[in-house]
Amino acid sequence: MRRKVFYTPPTQTAVINTDNGFVILKLSDFDEYKEELVRLRKEGQMTVGKFQNRSTAVNVFLEYLIKTKGIEPGTNEIKITTKDIYNAFTTFIRERRPAVHTLRIYLYSTRKALEHILLSKYNVLLSRTIGLEVFNPEFYVSQLSKSTFQTKGRQLKEYQLNERSKVISDERVKDALRWLEILIHTKKTRTVENLRLATIIALLTGVRGSEINDLQFQVIVDGETINQIDLNRGIIYFHRKKLKEDATKSFTPVFIHPVLIEELKAYRRKYLPDPTKPLFGYYEIDKLFYNYYTPAKAFRSKEKLETLYQNNKWLQKYPPQKPIIGLRQIRKYVDSYLQARMFELADKGVGSSLFGKGLYGLDNMRRYKNYLLGRAEGVDFMHYISTTEDPRYVARYRRFTNMLFDGLIDRIMPEFGRILSPEVASKLYGKSPETPTATQKSKVTLY
């Protein structure tokens, strides 16, 4: 995937100049810094999450720095003052309203980028040139509290919109799968194959984008090969960075549904001769979803896009400039489905041998759901039980987990069947998803 390049060098540039409160740098310094991040990621010295945070933060900072300073195209050498940094992040906050956590990450990552560039290239400390207070998130919160204050009515409106966004219908997921079917048939590329497999992983596990990004079939430790995705046993060890404060809880093994096992086998045979490589290379899965589930970004041609909208009436409810679905929406959908499914199973007494009966059993089921989704409450609940190693539990937890996702697949059929690879569909169902008899006639029309 292409990275943003902020400067294409026509000439040699000068030496750094520094003084109290400002520094003169080159935009090409930031491009070189991002190349260094790529190298560290490829060599396994940087996690996917850190790589994404650092590179995205630099992109955002430079985008708003160029915007607020009015830097002309082709300019390389720029003067950056403490006030410039403050104005860039102030504008970013006002326009995008990031979460406090996101703001903290961007400020920290921008500071680290500037420290690295100044020290490694010019042997200068950032603290000698820029006031470090400008990277303190609390400074922005206090400075912007009045200008960003919202009335009660606006807060209520945003709250209600946020509540509605939590409800992801079966219809929306099916529509997203119809759109994916269009992409599969019109864009026969490795990128779309990545999107297809990532969508299946998200639907059949509910994991976060960063956890999908981090997947490898195998890792090498001190010459020993260790499976992160164990297809023989049907287990994925998800790296839960949200739980990284305790190394013993940062991985959670989850049973893989048989459909996903076959898809992973097919993908590995076709695209990954080296199982130690990241499953999706260095793609940022969240960006991949945004770019391809947004119709206007997936199809740049206005004529092709208009034809698709004319031929597919169901598509007309989705604005072409907005994504039909995103990874977070799929996670919300899986979460909501699992919660409702567990109420149904508790009413029928299913799973009582694992979780107990009545409200006690229902609460334990809910905690297992949170374990599957990588939440701290669920991981703590399962901490003293090995669902993948203890023979007393393995078969029962596997059956229960597969049963949960069997129900989800039933809810999004026949659309789900049509995005499976022909090889997997034929093996599991005895028919190709491209034939009308496989799951009913397709509801999508290509241009």
Side-chain angles (χ1 to χ4, degrees):
M1 184 173 287
R2 292 184 59 192
R3 296 178 302 281
K4 287 184 180 179
V5 176
F6 292 94
Y7 179 73
T8 304
T11 58
Q12 292 291 100
T13 48
V15 183
I16 187 172
N17 293 303
T18 67
D19 199 350
N20 292 331
F22 77 87
V23 62
I24 296 178
L25 284 176
K26 296 171 283 186
L27 288 177
S28 55
D29 290 337
F30 292 95
D31 294 328
E32 291 172 14
Y33 172 72
K34 292 202 297 178
E35 291 293 337
E36 175 72 5
L37 294 180
V38 172
R39 182 186 67 78
L40 292 173
R41 175 68 191 118
K42 286 182 176 179
E43 292 176 356
Q45 298 180 44
M46 181 175 285
T47 64
V48 173
K50 183 179 287 188
F51 172 76
Q52 291 178 356
N53 289 340
R54 296 283 172 91
S55 58
T56 303
V58 170
N59 288 342
V60 168
F61 170 63
L62 288 180
E63 176 187 342
Y64 280 91
L65 182 71
I66 291 169
K67 180 178 181 178
T68 53
K69 284 182 69 70
I71 297 171
E72 296 294 328
T75 303
N76 188 21
E77 195 171 271
I78 57 173
K79 177 180 178 180
I80 304 175
T81 67
T82 303
K83 187 174 181 179
D84 290 333
I85 296 173
Y86 171 74
N87 288 339
F89 279 107
T90 298
T91 306
F92 163 67
I93 292 167
R94 285 174 175 160
E95 289 186 0
R96 297 199 191 177
R97 292 192 174 279
V100 174
H101 175 68
T102 302
L103 177 62
R104 289 181 188 278
I105 288 174
Y106 284 6
L107 287 167
Y108 176 80
S109 298
T110 301
R111 175 178 171 174
K112 287 297 179 184
L114 289 170
E115 285 177 343
H116 178 84
I117 292 169
L118 285 171
L119 192 58
S120 64
K121 294 204 68 174
Y122 305 108
N123 199 29
V124 173
L125 294 174
L126 178 64
S127 58
R128 297 286 300 275
T129 60
I130 297 290
L132 296 184
E133 297 84 358
V134 77
F135 299 105
N136 183 355
E138 304 305 322
F139 179 69
Y140 289 89
V141 172
S142 62
Q143 292 294 318
L144 293 173
S145 59
K146 292 182 180 179
S147 59
T148 61
F149 181 75
Q150 295 179 319
T151 64
K152 180 179 74 174
R154 186 169 293 278
Q155 290 180 55
L156 178 60
K157 181 180 179 180
E158 289 197 3
Y159 171 78
Q160 291 177 345
L161 288 172
N162 183 58
E163 286 296 293
R164 293 189 195 107
S165 73
K166 295 178 183 178
V167 182
I168 310 298
S169 65
D170 294 343
E171 181 185 16
R172 183 174 175 183
V173 174
K174 286 184 174 184
D175 287 344
L177 296 179
R178 289 179 190 137
W179 177 253
L180 179 55
E181 184 185 358
I182 290 174
L183 295 175
I184 291 168
H185 289 290
T186 57
K187 295 178 177 288
K188 300 180 183 297
T189 64
R190 170 77 179 273
T191 303
V192 171
E193 272 298 293
N194 287 344
L195 178 69
R196 188 185 68 82
L197 181 60
T199 300
I200 295 172
I201 292 173
L203 282 169
L204 297 185
T205 61
V207 294
R208 302 174 181 92
S210 61
E211 293 159 0
I212 295 177
N213 263 123
D214 195 61
L215 287 175
Q216 297 170 248
F217 281 102
Q218 296 176 346
V219 293
I220 306 296
V221 181
D222 299 328
E224 180 185 359
T225 300
I226 300 175
N227 291 321
Q228 184 180 6
I229 302 175
D230 192 332
L231 295 176
N232 292 327
R233 299 174 64 204
I235 298 169
I236 293 181
Y237 294 85
F238 285 112
H239 191 193
R240 313 289 194 178
K241 298 182 183 66
K242 297 274 186 181
L243 311 172
K244 65 182 179 181
E245 66 276 1
D246 186 342
T248 63
K249 299 179 184 177
S250 62
F251 283 90
T252 55
V254 172
F255 291 112
I256 319 173
H257 191 276
V259 171
L260 182 53
I261 291 175
E262 295 303 325
E263 284 289 353
L264 287 166
K265 285 180 179 178
Y267 186 89
R268 176 174 170 175
R269 281 194 297 269
K270 188 171 183 180
Y271 295 111
L272 277 183
D274 182 356
T276 63
K277 296 293 184 183
L279 197 63
F280 299 112
Y282 301 99
Y283 286 97
E284 292 185 31
I285 295 298
D286 290 283
K287 279 188 178 180
L288 183 66
F289 269 67
Y290 179 77
N291 288 332
Y292 279 85
Y293 277 112
T294 302
K297 287 186 173 290
F299 291 90
R300 301 286 183 176
S301 167
K302 188 176 180 181
E303 182 181 345
K304 289 181 179 178
L305 193 60
E306 287 177 350
T307 303
L308 281 171
Y309 269 77
Q310 289 170 3
N311 293 340
N312 297 278
K313 300 300 181 185
W314 58 268
L315 189 56
Q316 295 172 9
K317 71 184 89 163
Y318 301 102
Q321 299 295 340
K322 293 186 177 181
I324 296 172
I325 206 165
L327 264 175
R328 289 186 180 181
Q329 284 74 38
I330 291 180
R331 181 171 164 85
K332 286 178 181 178
Y333 175 76
V334 174
D335 190 355
S336 177
Y337 159 76
L338 290 176
Q339 186 70 23
R341 180 65 170 154
M342 286 174 176
F343 274 106
E344 295 173 4
L345 295 176
D347 286 342
K348 297 176 181 177
V350 177
S352 59
S353 62
L354 281 175
F355 303 107
K357 297 180 180 180
L359 292 176
Y360 173 77
L362 180 61
D363 188 52
N364 286 340
M365 278 190 191
R366 179 187 61 79
R367 292 182 181 184
Y368 182 64
K369 177 206 74 171
N370 286 329
Y371 170 83
L372 293 175
L373 296 175
R375 296 194 178 112
E377 179 198 26
V379 175
D380 288 341
F381 170 65
M382 301 296 292
H383 182 57
Y384 295 103
I385 298 175
S386 177
T387 59
T388 57
E389 302 296 334
D390 193 327
R392 295 174 298 171
Y393 298 112
V394 173
R396 290 192 290 172
Y397 272 103
R398 188 194 304 277
R399 281 197 303 270
F400 184 78
T401 306
N402 286 344
M403 181 176 60
L404 290 176
F405 287 100
D406 281 342
L408 187 144
I409 290 174
D410 289 342
R411 288 179 66 150
I412 55 177
M413 282 296 231
E415 286 77 7
F416 181 78
R418 298 195 194 101
I419 67 158
L420 299 178
S421 64
E423 176 184 351
V424 172
S426 177
K427 183 172 183 178
L428 293 176
Y429 302 113
K431 300 170 184 175
S432 167
E434 296 181 2
T435 60
T437 56
T439 53
Q440 301 173 16
K441 188 176 180 180
S442 178
K443 295 182 180 179
V444 302
T445 307
L446 309 179
Y447 50 81

Short mmCIF file of all heavy atoms in Angstrom, two decimals, residues 322-360:
data_model
loop_
_atom_site.label_atom_id
_atom_site.label_comp_id
_atom_site.label_asym_id
_atom_site.label_seq_id
_atom_site.Cartn_x
_atom_site.Cartn_y
_atom_site.Cartn_z
N LYS A 322 -19.48 7.61 1.82
CA LYS A 322 -19.36 7.06 3.17
C LYS A 322 -19.26 5.53 3.10
O LYS A 322 -19.87 4.91 2.24
CB LYS A 322 -20.55 7.47 4.02
CG LYS A 322 -20.60 8.97 4.31
CD LYS A 322 -21.71 9.31 5.29
CE LYS A 322 -21.70 10.80 5.63
NZ LYS A 322 -22.76 11.13 6.62
N PRO A 323 -18.52 4.93 4.04
CA PRO A 323 -18.37 3.46 4.01
C PRO A 323 -19.68 2.75 4.33
O PRO A 323 -20.43 3.18 5.21
CB PRO A 323 -17.30 3.18 5.07
CG PRO A 323 -17.31 4.37 5.96
CD PRO A 323 -17.72 5.54 5.12
N ILE A 324 -19.94 1.67 3.63
CA ILE A 324 -21.13 0.86 3.91
C ILE A 324 -21.00 0.22 5.28
O ILE A 324 -21.98 0.11 6.03
CB ILE A 324 -21.29 -0.22 2.81
CG1 ILE A 324 -21.54 0.46 1.46
CG2 ILE A 324 -22.44 -1.18 3.15
CD1 ILE A 324 -21.52 -0.48 0.28
N ILE A 325 -19.80 -0.18 5.62
CA ILE A 325 -19.54 -0.77 6.93
C ILE A 325 -18.06 -0.62 7.24
O ILE A 325 -17.24 -0.39 6.33
CB ILE A 325 -19.96 -2.26 6.97
CG1 ILE A 325 -20.31 -2.70 8.39
CG2 ILE A 325 -18.87 -3.15 6.37
CD1 ILE A 325 -21.06 -4.02 8.45
N GLY A 326 -17.71 -0.71 8.51
CA GLY A 326 -16.32 -0.67 8.93
C GLY A 326 -16.03 -1.79 9.90
O GLY A 326 -16.94 -2.49 10.35
N LEU A 327 -14.78 -1.95 10.26
CA LEU A 327 -14.42 -3.03 11.18
C LEU A 327 -15.09 -2.86 12.54
O LEU A 327 -15.50 -3.84 13.16
CB LEU A 327 -12.90 -3.06 11.36
CG LEU A 327 -12.13 -4.05 10.48
CD1 LEU A 327 -10.65 -3.90 10.67
CD2 LEU A 327 -12.56 -5.48 10.80
N ARG A 328 -15.19 -1.63 13.02
CA ARG A 328 -15.82 -1.42 14.32
C ARG A 328 -17.30 -1.80 14.28
O ARG A 328 -17.84 -2.33 15.26
CB ARG A 328 -15.66 0.04 14.75
CG ARG A 328 -14.24 0.40 15.14
CD ARG A 328 -14.15 1.80 15.68
NE ARG A 328 -12.78 2.14 16.05
CZ ARG A 328 -12.42 3.30 16.57
NH1 ARG A 328 -13.33 4.23 16.79
NH2 ARG A 328 -11.16 3.54 16.90
N GLN A 329 -17.95 -1.52 13.14
CA GLN A 329 -19.36 -1.88 13.02
C GLN A 329 -19.54 -3.40 13.00
O GLN A 329 -20.49 -3.93 13.57
CB GLN A 329 -19.96 -1.25 11.74
CG GLN A 329 -20.25 0.23 11.84
CD GLN A 329 -18.99 1.07 11.78
OE1 GLN A 329 -18.07 0.76 11.03
NE2 GLN A 329 -18.93 2.12 12.58
N ILE A 330 -18.61 -4.10 12.33
CA ILE A 330 -18.69 -5.56 12.32
C ILE A 330 -18.48 -6.10 13.74
O ILE A 330 -19.19 -7.02 14.17
CB ILE A 330 -17.65 -6.15 11.35
CG1 ILE A 330 -18.03 -5.83 9.90
CG2 ILE A 330 -17.54 -7.66 11.54
CD1 ILE A 330 -17.07 -6.36 8.86
N ARG A 331 -17.55 -5.53 14.47
CA ARG A 331 -17.31 -5.96 15.86
C ARG A 331 -18.56 -5.72 16.71
O ARG A 331 -18.94 -6.56 17.53
CB ARG A 331 -16.11 -5.22 16.43
CG ARG A 331 -15.75 -5.61 17.87
CD ARG A 331 -14.42 -4.98 18.24
NE ARG A 331 -14.19 -4.98 19.68
CZ ARG A 331 -13.67 -6.00 20.36
NH1 ARG A 331 -13.36 -7.12 19.73
NH2 ARG A 331 -13.47 -5.90 21.66
N LYS A 332 -19.21 -4.57 16.51
CA LYS A 332 -20.44 -4.27 17.25
C LYS A 332 -21.54 -5.27 16.89
O LYS A 332 -22.31 -5.71 17.74
CB LYS A 332 -20.92 -2.85 16.94
CG LYS A 332 -20.09 -1.76 17.59
CD LYS A 332 -20.61 -0.38 17.21
CE LYS A 332 -19.78 0.72 17.84
NZ LYS A 332 -20.25 2.06 17.43
N TYR A 333 -21.60 -5.61 15.61
CA TYR A 333 -22.61 -6.56 15.14
C TYR A 333 -22.40 -7.92 15.80
O TYR A 333 -23.35 -8.54 16.30
CB TYR A 333 -22.54 -6.69 13.63
CG TYR A 333 -23.47 -7.74 13.06
CD1 TYR A 333 -24.84 -7.52 12.95
CD2 TYR A 333 -22.96 -8.97 12.63
CE1 TYR A 333 -25.68 -8.49 12.43
CE2 TYR A 333 -23.80 -9.95 12.12
CZ TYR A 333 -25.17 -9.70 12.02
OH TYR A 333 -26.00 -10.67 11.52
N VAL A 334 -21.15 -8.40 15.80
CA VAL A 334 -20.84 -9.70 16.40
C VAL A 334 -21.13 -9.67 17.90
O VAL A 334 -21.73 -10.60 18.45
CB VAL A 334 -19.36 -10.08 16.15
CG1 VAL A 334 -19.00 -11.36 16.89
CG2 VAL A 334 -19.11 -10.26 14.65
N ASP A 335 -20.74 -8.59 18.56
CA ASP A 335 -20.98 -8.43 20.00
C ASP A 335 -22.48 -8.51 20.30
O ASP A 335 -22.93 -9.23 21.19
CB ASP A 335 -20.41 -7.09 20.46
CG ASP A 335 -20.39 -6.95 21.98
OD1 ASP A 335 -20.92 -7.83 22.68
OD2 ASP A 335 -19.87 -5.93 22.47
N SER A 336 -23.26 -7.74 19.55
CA SER A 336 -24.71 -7.70 19.77
C SER A 336 -25.35 -9.06 19.50
O SER A 336 -26.21 -9.52 20.25
CB SER A 336 -25.34 -6.64 18.85
OG SER A 336 -26.73 -6.61 19.00
N TYR A 337 -24.91 -9.71 18.41
CA TYR A 337 -25.45 -11.03 18.09
C TYR A 337 -25.14 -12.04 19.20
O TYR A 337 -26.02 -12.79 19.64
CB TYR A 337 -24.87 -11.54 16.76
CG TYR A 337 -24.98 -13.05 16.65
CD1 TYR A 337 -26.19 -13.65 16.37
CD2 TYR A 337 -23.88 -13.86 16.91
CE1 TYR A 337 -26.32 -15.05 16.34
CE2 TYR A 337 -23.99 -15.23 16.88
CZ TYR A 337 -25.21 -15.83 16.58
OH TYR A 337 -25.32 -17.19 16.57
N LEU A 338 -23.88 -12.06 19.66
CA LEU A 338 -23.49 -13.03 20.69
C LEU A 338 -24.29 -12.81 21.98
O LEU A 338 -24.69 -13.77 22.63
CB LEU A 338 -21.99 -12.92 20.99
CG LEU A 338 -21.04 -13.41 19.88
CD1 LEU A 338 -19.59 -13.15 20.28
CD2 LEU A 338 -21.25 -14.89 19.57
N GLN A 339 -24.52 -11.55 22.32
CA GLN A 339 -25.29 -11.26 23.54
C GLN A 339 -26.71 -11.81 23.43
O GLN A 339 -27.21 -12.48 24.34
CB GLN A 339 -25.33 -9.75 23.77
CG GLN A 339 -25.97 -9.33 25.07
CD GLN A 339 -25.15 -9.67 26.30
OE1 GLN A 339 -23.94 -9.84 26.20
NE2 GLN A 339 -25.78 -9.80 27.44
N ALA A 340 -27.37 -11.54 22.29
CA ALA A 340 -28.74 -12.03 22.09
C ALA A 340 -28.77 -13.55 22.01
O ALA A 340 -29.68 -14.20 22.56
CB ALA A 340 -29.32 -11.42 20.80
N ARG A 341 -27.77 -14.14 21.35
CA ARG A 341 -27.71 -15.59 21.20
C ARG A 341 -27.57 -16.27 22.56
O ARG A 341 -28.16 -17.33 22.81
CB ARG A 341 -26.53 -15.95 20.29
CG ARG A 341 -26.34 -17.44 20.05
CD ARG A 341 -27.48 -18.04 19.29
NE ARG A 341 -27.18 -19.39 18.87
CZ ARG A 341 -28.10 -20.32 18.64
NH1 ARG A 341 -29.40 -20.03 18.81
NH2 ARG A 341 -27.77 -21.52 18.25
N MET A 342 -26.81 -15.67 23.45
CA MET A 342 -26.60 -16.28 24.76
C MET A 342 -27.85 -16.23 25.62
O MET A 342 -28.10 -17.12 26.44
CB MET A 342 -25.41 -15.62 25.46
CG MET A 342 -24.09 -16.08 24.85
SD MET A 342 -22.65 -15.24 25.49
CE MET A 342 -21.34 -16.14 24.63
N PHE A 343 -28.68 -15.21 25.44
CA PHE A 343 -29.98 -15.18 26.12
C PHE A 343 -30.83 -16.36 25.64
O PHE A 343 -31.49 -17.04 26.43
CB PHE A 343 -30.70 -13.86 25.85
CG PHE A 343 -30.34 -12.76 26.80
CD1 PHE A 343 -29.53 -11.72 26.40
CD2 PHE A 343 -30.80 -12.78 28.11
CE1 PHE A 343 -29.19 -10.71 27.28
CE2 PHE A 343 -30.47 -11.77 29.00
CZ PHE A 343 -29.66 -10.72 28.59
N GLU A 344 -30.81 -16.59 24.33
CA GLU A 344 -31.59 -17.70 23.76
C GLU A 344 -31.11 -19.04 24.31
O GLU A 344 -31.92 -19.89 24.70
CB GLU A 344 -31.47 -17.69 22.23
CG GLU A 344 -32.08 -16.48 21.54
CD GLU A 344 -31.78 -16.48 20.05
OE1 GLU A 344 -31.17 -17.47 19.57
OE2 GLU A 344 -32.13 -15.50 19.38
N LEU A 345 -29.78 -19.22 24.32
CA LEU A 345 -29.22 -20.50 24.78
C LEU A 345 -29.48 -20.72 26.27
O LEU A 345 -29.75 -21.83 26.70
CB LEU A 345 -27.72 -20.54 24.49
CG LEU A 345 -27.32 -20.52 23.02
CD1 LEU A 345 -25.81 -20.46 22.87
CD2 LEU A 345 -27.86 -21.74 22.28
N ALA A 346 -29.39 -19.63 27.05
CA ALA A 346 -29.65 -19.75 28.48
C ALA A 346 -31.09 -20.16 28.74
O ALA A 346 -31.38 -20.98 29.63
CB ALA A 346 -29.33 -18.44 29.19
N ASP A 347 -32.03 -19.61 27.96
CA ASP A 347 -33.44 -19.97 28.11
C ASP A 347 -33.67 -21.45 27.81
O ASP A 347 -34.54 -22.09 28.41
CB ASP A 347 -34.30 -19.11 27.18
CG ASP A 347 -34.43 -17.68 27.67
OD1 ASP A 347 -34.16 -17.45 28.87
OD2 ASP A 347 -34.78 -16.80 26.87
N LYS A 348 -32.87 -22.00 26.89
CA LYS A 348 -33.02 -23.41 26.51
C LYS A 348 -32.18 -24.34 27.38
O LYS A 348 -32.24 -25.56 27.22
CB LYS A 348 -32.62 -23.60 25.05
CG LYS A 348 -33.52 -22.83 24.07
CD LYS A 348 -33.00 -22.98 22.64
CE LYS A 348 -33.86 -22.20 21.66
NZ LYS A 348 -33.32 -22.28 20.28
N GLY A 349 -31.36 -23.76 28.27
CA GLY A 349 -30.52 -24.57 29.13
C GLY A 349 -29.27 -25.09 28.45
O GLY A 349 -28.57 -25.94 29.00
N VAL A 350 -28.97 -24.56 27.23
CA VAL A 350 -27.78 -25.00 26.51
C VAL A 350 -26.54 -24.37 27.16
O VAL A 350 -26.53 -23.19 27.48
CB VAL A 350 -27.86 -24.59 25.03
CG1 VAL A 350 -26.58 -25.00 24.29
CG2 VAL A 350 -29.07 -25.23 24.37
N GLY A 351 -25.51 -25.13 27.35
CA GLY A 351 -24.27 -24.63 27.93
C GLY A 351 -24.24 -24.64 29.44
O GLY A 351 -23.27 -24.16 30.04
N SER A 352 -25.27 -25.20 30.07
CA SER A 352 -25.31 -25.19 31.54
C SER A 352 -24.19 -26.03 32.15
O SER A 352 -23.72 -25.74 33.25
CB SER A 352 -26.67 -25.70 32.02
OG SER A 352 -26.92 -27.01 31.54
N SER A 353 -23.73 -27.06 31.43
CA SER A 353 -22.65 -27.88 31.97
C SER A 353 -21.33 -27.12 32.01
O SER A 353 -20.44 -27.44 32.80
CB SER A 353 -22.48 -29.16 31.13
OG SER A 353 -22.12 -28.83 29.80
N LEU A 354 -21.21 -26.09 31.16
CA LEU A 354 -19.99 -25.29 31.14
C LEU A 354 -20.09 -24.07 32.04
O LEU A 354 -19.14 -23.68 32.71
CB LEU A 354 -19.70 -24.81 29.70
CG LEU A 354 -19.05 -25.80 28.73
CD1 LEU A 354 -18.95 -25.18 27.35
CD2 LEU A 354 -17.67 -26.20 29.22
N PHE A 355 -21.28 -23.43 32.03
CA PHE A 355 -21.40 -22.12 32.66
C PHE A 355 -22.33 -22.08 33.87
O PHE A 355 -22.38 -21.06 34.56
CB PHE A 355 -21.89 -21.10 31.61
CG PHE A 355 -21.01 -21.01 30.40
CD1 PHE A 355 -21.41 -21.55 29.19
CD2 PHE A 355 -19.76 -20.41 30.48
CE1 PHE A 355 -20.60 -21.46 28.07
CE2 PHE A 355 -18.94 -20.33 29.37
CZ PHE A 355 -19.36 -20.86 28.16
N GLY A 356 -23.09 -23.12 34.12
CA GLY A 356 -24.05 -23.10 35.20
C GLY A 356 -25.44 -22.77 34.70
O GLY A 356 -25.66 -22.59 33.50
N LYS A 357 -26.40 -22.65 35.62
CA LYS A 357 -27.80 -22.44 35.24
C LYS A 357 -28.29 -21.06 35.66
O LYS A 357 -27.70 -20.39 36.51
CB LYS A 357 -28.68 -23.51 35.88
CG LYS A 357 -28.36 -24.93 35.42
CD LYS A 357 -29.27 -25.94 36.10
CE LYS A 357 -28.96 -27.37 35.63
NZ LYS A 357 -29.84 -28.37 36.29
N GLY A 358 -29.42 -20.67 35.06
CA GLY A 358 -30.10 -19.44 35.44
C GLY A 358 -29.26 -18.20 35.18
O GLY A 358 -28.45 -18.15 34.25
N LEU A 359 -29.45 -17.16 36.01
CA LEU A 359 -28.74 -15.90 35.84
C LEU A 359 -27.23 -16.07 36.03
O LEU A 359 -26.43 -15.39 35.37
CB LEU A 359 -29.27 -14.86 36.84
CG LEU A 359 -30.71 -14.38 36.59
CD1 LEU A 359 -31.15 -13.43 37.69
CD2 LEU A 359 -30.82 -13.69 35.22
N TYR A 360 -26.87 -17.01 36.92
CA TYR A 360 -25.45 -17.28 37.13
C TYR A 360 -24.82 -17.78 35.83
O TYR A 360 -23.74 -17.33 35.42
CB TYR A 360 -25.27 -18.30 38.25
CG TYR A 360 -23.85 -18.77 38.44
CD1 TYR A 360 -22.91 -17.96 39.08
CD2 TYR A 360 -23.44 -20.03 37.96
CE1 TYR A 360 -21.60 -18.39 39.25
CE2 TYR A 360 -22.14 -20.46 38.13
CZ TYR A 360 -21.22 -19.64 38.78
OH TYR A 360 -19.93 -20.07 38.94
#
